[in-house]
Amino acid sequence: MQQSISQKSNQVMSIYETYADTLFRIAMVHLGRREDAEEATQDTFIKFMEKAPAFHDAEHQKAWLIRVTTNHCKSLLRRGWRKREVKLEASELGITNDPED
């Protein structure tokens, strides 16, 4: 049993090392923020580990990972939480460069 878990872990790490950069770049194109893209990439691999789909070949696996990443990014954009994000300027917070303040 332990050997099986170790083999699966090594397999997931190998797949992660192979595709993580590609999936991150796709997520960056969709989301535009590094933090969001990193989260989307992680979520994709979590779904991969949960579903454990069987693939015909490496191209099928790559296509599945890309599709899951793309769909996840689109669902994040649909939620609208990004639209509610407000950037605060230092002047709005009353922050000055004066050390006495």
Side-chain angles (χ1 to χ4, degrees):
M1 178 74 176
Q2 188 68 3
Q3 182 66 18
S4 174
I5 293 172
S6 177
Q7 287 175 343
K8 288 180 183 180
S9 176
N10 290 338
Q11 180 185 16
V12 170
M13 285 305 299
S14 173
I15 293 166
Y16 179 84
E17 290 170 0
T18 303
Y19 298 114
D21 188 53
T22 301
L23 300 178
F24 173 77
R25 290 172 188 262
I26 291 168
M28 273 297 291
V29 168
H30 286 284
L31 301 173
R33 287 186 28 188
R34 179 177 191 82
E35 297 83 10
D36 296 338
E38 288 172 350
E39 185 175 342
T41 303
Q42 291 172 359
D43 290 344
T44 298
F45 280 98
I46 289 170
K47 289 177 186 177
F48 173 75
M49 290 185 290
E50 290 174 347
K51 304 277 184 192
F55 300 108
H56 302 294
D57 55 18
E59 287 301 313
H60 182 218
Q61 182 179 51
K62 181 178 179 180
W64 187 89
L65 290 167
I66 290 171
R67 177 53 48 202
V68 170
T69 301
T70 303
N71 289 344
H72 184 67
C73 290
K74 288 179 180 179
S75 70
L76 288 176
L77 292 171
R78 256 192 320 269
R79 288 184 190 159
W81 59 268
R82 295 171 55 89
K83 295 176 186 171
R84 294 188 302 266
E85 188 175 285
V86 177
K87 302 283 186 202
L88 296 176
E89 299 296 327
S91 61
E92 294 174 357
L93 296 173
I95 299 173
T96 64
N97 290 333
D98 188 6
E100 292 179 11
D101 289 341

